Amino acid sequence: MGGEYTSLSLLLEKGRSSPSPSTGQNETRKGSFNLIRTYILLLHVLLLGLIAVLWDGNNQDPCSPSTKGGSWSPVQESIDYGIISENSLGSHKFSRYSGPPTDDQEEAWYQLVRPVFFSATYEEMSKAGESFENATKVADGGYLAALGVYHELHCIRRLRMYLYQSHYYPNLTDAQAKYLEGHLDHCLETLRLTIMCHGNSAMASFTWSDTNSRKPVARSNSRSFCVKWSTIEEWSYSRMLPITPSFRGPGAMVA
């Protein structure tokens, strides 16, 4: 330690006129104090930087592309996240999206999936890594695009319609049934991949609903870290195309 002080003192004294011994000792102490103060300041800066990184990480979806270095999406910068306690367990009340078909329910589903299509710019397509080969263009010159979440909601809606096929498909032909089976099998695979990607870790427990129960009922008080849906929906409505956009090039209805 003494050697370090001596070296520091010589460095600080370089180029100065011959100082007295007491002056040299004071300069050494002053230099050591400045070095320690700088070191502590750097530690504080590093600590604040680490806290900022951890805070930002805790406010992102663990499965979001920006968190894991995955594909880019134009909606990412608009998305917020938060803690929610809503879940479907332990409740026998239908939400506005579940239960037998009603006019109110139909309107709710329509508004939910309405902004499914948007027009992606050339820059957005490039940044997202999408292929331009045979890409579908729309009337404004952009490219027909959709967020994955709307594809998944479309699949859930189609499965629900098949569940109530007597209402939605009262005169279903064999050909239509075969088409729907293939479509819904694709939808199930889409949902499987999404569910396994996000891996919901919220815990559920089980209870006996009454003394005569033969099977326990699931319940949960878990809270989940989720996308704030309004932030995706607001962005989607600001960019949406009509449900049946005007295509350029080979035309085909989008089911």
Side-chain angles (χ1 to χ4, degrees), residues 39-87:
Y39 178 71
I40 292 173
L41 180 61
L42 286 173
L43 281 179
H44 276 81
V45 170
L46 289 172
L47 182 60
L48 288 173
L50 179 61
I51 290 172
V53 169
L54 291 175
W55 176 263
D56 185 60
N58 286 332
N59 282 276
Q60 292 186 1
D61 177 6
C63 222
S64 72
S66 58
T67 303
K68 299 301 182 184
S71 61
W72 177 88
S73 171
V75 74
Q76 282 172 204
E77 294 182 358
S78 300
I79 295 178
D80 287 332
Y81 299 86
I83 303 295
I84 68 166
S85 57
E86 181 182 14
N87 66 72

Side-chain angles (χ1 to χ4, degrees), residues 117 136 144 154 158 179 183 242-255:
F117 297 120
T136 303
L144 186 67
H154 156 82
R158 286 289 184 174
Y179 166 78
H183 191 165
I243 287 293
T244 306
S246 297
F247 302 130
R248 292 174 58 187
M253 293 299 292
V254 177

Side-chain angles (χ1 to χ4, degrees), residues 62-241:
C63 222
S64 72
S66 58
T67 303
K68 299 301 182 184
S71 61
W72 177 88
S73 171
V75 74
Q76 282 172 204
E77 294 182 358
S78 300
I79 295 178
D80 287 332
Y81 299 86
I83 303 295
I84 68 166
S85 57
E86 181 182 14
N87 66 72
S88 61
L89 299 179
S91 173
H92 299 287
K93 294 181 180 179
F94 291 132
S95 77
R96 59 190 304 213
Y97 304 106
S98 62
T102 65
D103 290 342
D104 289 342
Q105 187 193 72
E106 287 301 299
E107 179 63 19
W109 269 104
Y110 173 75
Q111 295 299 333
L112 185 63
V113 302
R114 186 182 174 196
V116 57
F117 297 120
F118 71 97
S119 178
T121 65
Y122 178 89
E123 292 75 15
E124 288 170 339
M125 289 280 286
S126 298
K127 200 168 182 180
E130 291 299 311
S131 173
F132 289 96
E133 183 179 355
N134 207 29
T136 303
K137 287 189 175 182
V138 291
D140 69 356
Y143 296 86
L144 186 67
L147 299 181
V149 66
Y150 282 101
H151 180 203
E152 291 142 17
L153 286 172
H154 156 82
C155 279
I156 292 172
R157 188 186 189 195
R158 286 289 184 174
L159 286 164
R160 175 183 165 275
M161 291 169 74
Y162 194 73
L163 176 65
Y164 296 105
Q165 61 179 278
S166 61
H167 176 82
Y168 292 103
Y169 310 113
N171 302 306
L172 193 65
T173 66
D174 290 343
Q176 290 171 332
K178 186 174 181 180
Y179 166 78
L180 281 174
E181 287 171 6
H183 191 165
L184 296 182
D185 191 57
H186 153 77
C187 278
L188 289 170
E189 182 65 2
T190 296
L191 296 173
R192 180 190 71 81
L193 290 170
T194 298
I195 290 167
M196 292 177 71
C197 168
H198 291 275
N200 183 5
S201 60
M203 194 182 87
S205 60
F206 294 84
T207 183
W208 298 107
S209 57
D210 58 59
T211 54
N212 296 318
S213 297
R214 300 185 62 183
K215 187 170 73 172
V217 177
R219 63 181 176 185
S220 178
N221 289 318
S222 294
R223 303 198 305 165
S224 301
F225 188 66
C226 300
V227 166
K228 291 183 180 178
W229 177 249
S230 61
T231 59
I232 289 184
E233 189 168 61
E234 287 168 8
W235 182 93
S236 299
Y237 265 97
S238 73
R239 296 283 302 270
M240 74 173 184
L241 289 171

